[in-house]
PDB file of all heavy atoms in Angstrom:
ATOM      1  N   THR A 244     -19.764   0.329  -6.100  1.00 98.00           N
ATOM      2  CA  THR A 244     -20.628  -0.508  -6.941  1.00 98.00           C
ATOM      3  C   THR A 244     -22.034   0.026  -7.069  1.00 98.00           C
ATOM      4  O   THR A 244     -22.645  -0.076  -8.169  1.00 98.00           O
ATOM      5  CB  THR A 244     -20.723  -1.936  -6.338  1.00 98.00           C
ATOM      6  OG1 THR A 244     -21.102  -1.880  -4.977  1.00 98.00           O
ATOM      7  CG2 THR A 244     -19.319  -2.619  -6.416  1.00 98.00           C
ATOM      8  N   ARG A 245     -22.596   0.624  -6.032  1.00 97.00           N
ATOM      9  CA  ARG A 245     -23.972   1.092  -6.073  1.00 97.00           C
ATOM     10  C   ARG A 245     -24.121   2.512  -6.580  1.00 97.00           C
ATOM     11  O   ARG A 245     -24.905   2.806  -7.506  1.00 97.00           O
ATOM     12  CB  ARG A 245     -24.620   0.930  -4.693  1.00 97.00           C
ATOM     13  CG  ARG A 245     -24.712  -0.507  -4.200  1.00 97.00           C
ATOM     14  CD  ARG A 245     -25.180  -0.580  -2.790  1.00 97.00           C
ATOM     15  NE  ARG A 245     -25.160  -1.957  -2.296  1.00 97.00           N
ATOM     16  CZ  ARG A 245     -25.420  -2.320  -1.041  1.00 97.00           C
ATOM     17  NH1 ARG A 245     -25.727  -1.396  -0.136  1.00 97.00           N
ATOM     18  NH2 ARG A 245     -25.355  -3.580  -0.686  1.00 97.00           N
ATOM     19  N   ARG A 246     -23.308   3.403  -6.049  1.00 97.00           N
ATOM     20  CA  ARG A 246     -23.469   4.806  -6.407  1.00 97.00           C
ATOM     21  C   ARG A 246     -22.808   5.099  -7.769  1.00 97.00           C
ATOM     22  O   ARG A 246     -23.284   5.946  -8.553  1.00 97.00           O
ATOM     23  CB  ARG A 246     -22.828   5.707  -5.315  1.00 97.00           C
ATOM     24  CG  ARG A 246     -23.064   7.175  -5.502  1.00 97.00           C
ATOM     25  CD  ARG A 246     -24.533   7.517  -5.291  1.00 97.00           C
ATOM     26  NE  ARG A 246     -24.775   8.975  -5.363  1.00 97.00           N
ATOM     27  CZ  ARG A 246     -24.885   9.766  -4.317  1.00 97.00           C
ATOM     28  NH1 ARG A 246     -24.763   9.256  -3.104  1.00 97.00           N
ATOM     29  NH2 ARG A 246     -25.067  11.061  -4.460  1.00 97.00           N
ATOM     30  N   PHE A 247     -21.709   4.402  -8.059  1.00 97.00           N
ATOM     31  CA  PHE A 247     -21.003   4.657  -9.310  1.00 97.00           C
ATOM     32  C   PHE A 247     -21.213   3.525 -10.333  1.00 97.00           C
ATOM     33  O   PHE A 247     -20.567   3.471 -11.361  1.00 97.00           O
ATOM     34  CB  PHE A 247     -19.512   4.855  -9.059  1.00 97.00           C
ATOM     35  CG  PHE A 247     -19.243   6.140  -8.267  1.00 97.00           C
ATOM     36  CD1 PHE A 247     -19.116   6.091  -6.895  1.00 97.00           C
ATOM     37  CD2 PHE A 247     -19.152   7.352  -8.890  1.00 97.00           C
ATOM     38  CE1 PHE A 247     -18.887   7.260  -6.156  1.00 97.00           C
ATOM     39  CE2 PHE A 247     -18.933   8.497  -8.204  1.00 97.00           C
ATOM     40  CZ  PHE A 247     -18.826   8.477  -6.810  1.00 97.00           C
ATOM     41  N   ASP A 248     -22.119   2.612 -10.027  1.00 96.00           N
ATOM     42  CA  ASP A 248     -22.594   1.577 -10.948  1.00 96.00           C
ATOM     43  C   ASP A 248     -21.422   0.732 -11.502  1.00 96.00           C
ATOM     44  O   ASP A 248     -21.395   0.441 -12.697  1.00 96.00           O
ATOM     45  CB  ASP A 248     -23.356   2.239 -12.070  1.00 96.00           C
ATOM     46  CG  ASP A 248     -24.220   1.203 -12.855  1.00 96.00           C
ATOM     47  OD1 ASP A 248     -24.634   0.209 -12.226  1.00 96.00           O
ATOM     48  OD2 ASP A 248     -24.422   1.401 -14.067  1.00 96.00           O
ATOM     49  N   GLN A 249     -20.471   0.376 -10.615  1.00 97.00           N
ATOM     50  CA  GLN A 249     -19.404  -0.479 -11.031  1.00 97.00           C
ATOM     51  C   GLN A 249     -19.727  -1.944 -10.757  1.00 97.00           C
ATOM     52  O   GLN A 249     -20.365  -2.273  -9.776  1.00 97.00           O
ATOM     53  CB  GLN A 249     -18.095  -0.091 -10.295  1.00 97.00           C
ATOM     54  CG  GLN A 249     -17.564   1.260 -10.596  1.00 97.00           C
ATOM     55  CD  GLN A 249     -16.240   1.526  -9.914  1.00 97.00           C
ATOM     56  OE1 GLN A 249     -15.794   0.725  -9.100  1.00 97.00           O
ATOM     57  NE2 GLN A 249     -15.625   2.668 -10.206  1.00 97.00           N
ATOM     58  N   GLN A 250     -19.285  -2.807 -11.643  1.00 97.00           N
ATOM     59  CA  GLN A 250     -19.522  -4.229 -11.420  1.00 97.00           C
ATOM     60  C   GLN A 250     -18.691  -4.740 -10.259  1.00 97.00           C
ATOM     61  O   GLN A 250     -19.195  -5.521  -9.458  1.00 97.00           O
ATOM     62  CB  GLN A 250     -19.145  -5.001 -12.696  1.00 97.00           C
ATOM     63  CG  GLN A 250     -19.619  -6.443 -12.695  1.00 97.00           C
ATOM     64  CD  GLN A 250     -19.488  -7.118 -14.029  1.00 97.00           C
ATOM     65  OE1 GLN A 250     -18.515  -6.863 -14.755  1.00 97.00           O
ATOM     66  NE2 GLN A 250     -20.409  -7.977 -14.404  1.00 97.00           N
ATOM     67  N   LYS A 251     -17.443  -4.270 -10.135  1.00 98.00           N
ATOM     68  CA  LYS A 251     -16.567  -4.548  -8.994  1.00 98.00           C
ATOM     69  C   LYS A 251     -16.069  -3.226  -8.460  1.00 98.00           C
ATOM     70  O   LYS A 251     -15.903  -2.282  -9.244  1.00 98.00           O
ATOM     71  CB  LYS A 251     -15.388  -5.452  -9.387  1.00 98.00           C
ATOM     72  CG  LYS A 251     -15.783  -6.840  -9.838  1.00 98.00           C
ATOM     73  CD  LYS A 251     -14.576  -7.652 -10.204  1.00 98.00           C
ATOM     74  CE  LYS A 251     -14.955  -9.081 -10.603  1.00 98.00           C
ATOM     75  NZ  LYS A 251     -13.772  -9.904 -10.943  1.00 98.00           N
ATOM     76  N   PRO A 252     -15.779  -3.129  -7.145  1.00 98.00           N
ATOM     77  CA  PRO A 252     -15.346  -1.847  -6.567  1.00 98.00           C
ATOM     78  C   PRO A 252     -13.944  -1.494  -7.016  1.00 98.00           C
ATOM     79  O   PRO A 252     -12.951  -2.073  -6.519  1.00 98.00           O
ATOM     80  CB  PRO A 252     -15.437  -2.053  -5.074  1.00 98.00           C
ATOM     81  CG  PRO A 252     -15.286  -3.555  -4.917  1.00 98.00           C
ATOM     82  CD  PRO A 252     -15.928  -4.177  -6.118  1.00 98.00           C
ATOM     83  N   THR A 253     -13.824  -0.583  -7.990  1.00 98.00           N
ATOM     84  CA  THR A 253     -12.569  -0.380  -8.655  1.00 98.00           C
ATOM     85  C   THR A 253     -12.159   1.099  -8.647  1.00 98.00           C
ATOM     86  O   THR A 253     -12.987   1.990  -8.904  1.00 98.00           O
ATOM     87  CB  THR A 253     -12.664  -0.844 -10.141  1.00 98.00           C
ATOM     88  OG1 THR A 253     -13.163  -2.198 -10.158  1.00 98.00           O
ATOM     89  CG2 THR A 253     -11.357  -0.764 -10.856  1.00 98.00           C
ATOM     90  N   LEU A 254     -10.916   1.358  -8.298  1.00 98.00           N
ATOM     91  CA  LEU A 254     -10.380   2.716  -8.312  1.00 98.00           C
ATOM     92  C   LEU A 254      -8.863   2.582  -8.473  1.00 98.00           C
ATOM     93  O   LEU A 254      -8.211   1.935  -7.670  1.00 98.00           O
ATOM     94  CB  LEU A 254     -10.738   3.483  -7.033  1.00 98.00           C
ATOM     95  CG  LEU A 254     -10.382   4.958  -6.992  1.00 98.00           C
ATOM     96  CD1 LEU A 254     -11.381   5.733  -6.134  1.00 98.00           C
ATOM     97  CD2 LEU A 254      -8.959   5.197  -6.478  1.00 98.00           C
ATOM     98  N   GLY A 255      -8.303   3.228  -9.506  1.00 98.00           N
ATOM     99  CA  GLY A 255      -6.873   3.185  -9.719  1.00 98.00           C
ATOM    100  C   GLY A 255      -6.465   2.175 -10.740  1.00 98.00           C
ATOM    101  O   GLY A 255      -7.235   1.339 -11.190  1.00 98.00           O
ATOM    102  N   ARG A 256      -5.159   2.259 -11.148  1.00 97.00           N
ATOM    103  CA  ARG A 256      -4.670   1.405 -12.202  1.00 97.00           C
ATOM    104  C   ARG A 256      -3.257   0.911 -11.854  1.00 97.00           C
ATOM    105  O   ARG A 256      -2.504   1.613 -11.173  1.00 97.00           O
ATOM    106  CB  ARG A 256      -4.586   2.247 -13.505  1.00 97.00           C
ATOM    107  CG  ARG A 256      -4.485   1.431 -14.782  1.00 97.00           C
ATOM    108  CD  ARG A 256      -5.770   0.655 -15.048  1.00 97.00           C
ATOM    109  NE  ARG A 256      -5.665  -0.173 -16.227  1.00 97.00           N
ATOM    110  CZ  ARG A 256      -6.197   0.153 -17.406  1.00 97.00           C
ATOM    111  NH1 ARG A 256      -6.803   1.322 -17.547  1.00 97.00           N
ATOM    112  NH2 ARG A 256      -6.106  -0.661 -18.413  1.00 97.00           N
ATOM    113  N   LEU A 257      -2.934  -0.246 -12.351  1.00 98.00           N
ATOM    114  CA  LEU A 257      -1.620  -0.824 -12.239  1.00 98.00           C
ATOM    115  C   LEU A 257      -0.827  -0.490 -13.497  1.00 98.00           C
ATOM    116  O   LEU A 257      -1.357  -0.493 -14.636  1.00 98.00           O
ATOM    117  CB  LEU A 257      -1.657  -2.320 -12.049  1.00 98.00           C
ATOM    118  CG  LEU A 257      -2.426  -2.820 -10.853  1.00 98.00           C
ATOM    119  CD1 LEU A 257      -2.592  -4.362 -10.896  1.00 98.00           C
ATOM    120  CD2 LEU A 257      -1.741  -2.417  -9.558  1.00 98.00           C
ATOM    121  N   LEU A 258       0.488  -0.204 -13.317  1.00 97.00           N
ATOM    122  CA  LEU A 258       1.350   0.175 -14.442  1.00 97.00           C
ATOM    123  C   LEU A 258       2.637  -0.646 -14.392  1.00 97.00           C
ATOM    124  O   LEU A 258       3.083  -1.056 -13.307  1.00 97.00           O
ATOM    125  CB  LEU A 258       1.757   1.647 -14.355  1.00 97.00           C
ATOM    126  CG  LEU A 258       0.600   2.677 -14.327  1.00 97.00           C
ATOM    127  CD1 LEU A 258       1.207   4.062 -14.088  1.00 97.00           C
ATOM    128  CD2 LEU A 258      -0.200   2.660 -15.563  1.00 97.00           C
ATOM    129  N   LEU A 259       3.201  -0.879 -15.585  1.00 97.00           N
ATOM    130  CA  LEU A 259       4.562  -1.435 -15.697  1.00 97.00           C
ATOM    131  C   LEU A 259       5.330  -0.559 -16.678  1.00 97.00           C
ATOM    132  O   LEU A 259       4.795  -0.190 -17.739  1.00 97.00           O
ATOM    133  CB  LEU A 259       4.515  -2.879 -16.198  1.00 97.00           C
ATOM    134  CG  LEU A 259       4.099  -3.957 -15.222  1.00 97.00           C
ATOM    135  CD1 LEU A 259       4.052  -5.320 -15.916  1.00 97.00           C
ATOM    136  CD2 LEU A 259       5.063  -4.013 -14.034  1.00 97.00           C
ATOM    137  N   PRO A 260       6.609  -0.276 -16.408  1.00 96.00           N
ATOM    138  CA  PRO A 260       7.372   0.482 -17.356  1.00 96.00           C
ATOM    139  C   PRO A 260       7.658  -0.375 -18.632  1.00 96.00           C
ATOM    140  O   PRO A 260       7.842  -1.590 -18.523  1.00 96.00           O
ATOM    141  CB  PRO A 260       8.664   0.805 -16.614  1.00 96.00           C
ATOM    142  CG  PRO A 260       8.799  -0.305 -15.608  1.00 96.00           C
ATOM    143  CD  PRO A 260       7.357  -0.650 -15.216  1.00 96.00           C
ATOM    144  N   PHE A 261       7.672   0.285 -19.794  1.00 92.00           N
ATOM    145  CA  PHE A 261       7.926  -0.461 -21.044  1.00 92.00           C
ATOM    146  C   PHE A 261       9.338  -1.043 -21.038  1.00 92.00           C
ATOM    147  O   PHE A 261       9.517  -2.244 -21.268  1.00 92.00           O
ATOM    148  CB  PHE A 261       7.740   0.450 -22.243  1.00 92.00           C
ATOM    149  CG  PHE A 261       6.330   0.428 -22.762  1.00 92.00           C
ATOM    150  CD1 PHE A 261       5.511   1.553 -22.595  1.00 92.00           C
ATOM    151  CD2 PHE A 261       5.815  -0.667 -23.439  1.00 92.00           C
ATOM    152  CE1 PHE A 261       4.210   1.502 -23.096  1.00 92.00           C
ATOM    153  CE2 PHE A 261       4.537  -0.683 -23.906  1.00 92.00           C
ATOM    154  CZ  PHE A 261       3.711   0.413 -23.730  1.00 92.00           C
ATOM    155  N   THR A 262      10.289  -0.222 -20.806  1.00 82.00           N
ATOM    156  CA  THR A 262      11.679  -0.687 -20.749  1.00 82.00           C
ATOM    157  C   THR A 262      12.431   0.079 -19.647  1.00 82.00           C
ATOM    158  O   THR A 262      12.179   1.275 -19.467  1.00 82.00           O
ATOM    159  CB  THR A 262      12.437  -0.425 -22.101  1.00 82.00           C
ATOM    160  OG1 THR A 262      12.389   0.939 -22.428  1.00 82.00           O
ATOM    161  CG2 THR A 262      11.816  -1.262 -23.201  1.00 82.00           C
ATOM    162  N   GLY A 263      13.288  -0.618 -18.931  1.00 86.00           N
ATOM    163  CA  GLY A 263      14.054   0.033 -17.903  1.00 86.00           C
ATOM    164  C   GLY A 263      13.177   0.607 -16.808  1.00 86.00           C
ATOM    165  O   GLY A 263      12.083   0.142 -16.544  1.00 86.00           O
ATOM    166  N   GLY A 264      13.649   1.674 -16.215  1.00 92.00           N
ATOM    167  CA  GLY A 264      12.903   2.324 -15.150  1.00 92.00           C
ATOM    168  C   GLY A 264      13.140   3.805 -15.267  1.00 92.00           C
ATOM    169  O   GLY A 264      13.166   4.372 -16.366  1.00 92.00           O
ATOM    170  N   GLY A 265      13.268   4.466 -14.130  1.00 96.00           N
ATOM    171  CA  GLY A 265      13.475   5.902 -14.140  1.00 96.00           C
ATOM    172  C   GLY A 265      12.966   6.544 -12.857  1.00 96.00           C
ATOM    173  O   GLY A 265      12.680   5.829 -11.878  1.00 96.00           O
ATOM    174  N   VAL A 266      12.904   7.845 -12.851  1.00 97.00           N
ATOM    175  CA  VAL A 266      12.458   8.593 -11.695  1.00 97.00           C
ATOM    176  C   VAL A 266      11.187   9.348 -12.009  1.00 97.00           C
ATOM    177  O   VAL A 266      11.099   9.993 -13.087  1.00 97.00           O
ATOM    178  CB  VAL A 266      13.553   9.558 -11.226  1.00 97.00           C
ATOM    179  CG1 VAL A 266      13.084  10.379 -10.022  1.00 97.00           C
ATOM    180  CG2 VAL A 266      14.786   8.769 -10.817  1.00 97.00           C
ATOM    181  N   VAL A 267      10.223   9.291 -11.114  1.00 98.00           N
ATOM    182  CA  VAL A 267       8.995  10.067 -11.244  1.00 98.00           C
ATOM    183  C   VAL A 267       8.984  11.087 -10.112  1.00 98.00           C
ATOM    184  O   VAL A 267       9.321  10.790  -8.968  1.00 98.00           O
ATOM    185  CB  VAL A 267       7.761   9.122 -11.112  1.00 98.00           C
ATOM    186  CG1 VAL A 267       6.467   9.935 -11.080  1.00 98.00           C
ATOM    187  CG2 VAL A 267       7.703   8.130 -12.268  1.00 98.00           C
ATOM    188  N   ARG A 268       8.597  12.337 -10.444  1.00 98.00           N
ATOM    189  CA  ARG A 268       8.689  13.409  -9.478  1.00 98.00           C
ATOM    190  C   ARG A 268       7.348  14.126  -9.355  1.00 98.00           C
ATOM    191  O   ARG A 268       6.569  14.138 -10.346  1.00 98.00           O
ATOM    192  CB  ARG A 268       9.759  14.449  -9.908  1.00 98.00           C
ATOM    193  CG  ARG A 268      11.160  13.853  -9.968  1.00 98.00           C
ATOM    194  CD  ARG A 268      12.190  14.858 -10.508  1.00 98.00           C
ATOM    195  NE  ARG A 268      13.534  14.384 -10.467  1.00 98.00           N
ATOM    196  CZ  ARG A 268      14.047  13.599 -11.419  1.00 98.00           C
ATOM    197  NH1 ARG A 268      13.349  13.283 -12.527  1.00 98.00           N
ATOM    198  NH2 ARG A 268      15.303  13.153 -11.334  1.00 98.00           N
TER     199      ARG A 268
END
Side-chain angles (χ1 to χ4, degrees):
T244 55
R245 297 174 184 173
R246 188 67 177 261
F247 294 95
D248 198 29
Q249 295 184 354
Q250 192 169 36
K251 294 181 179 180
T253 307
L254 187 150
R256 198 66 183 261
L257 301 172
L258 304 174
L259 284 177
F261 270 109
T262 57
V266 177
V267 174
R268 299 175 176 84

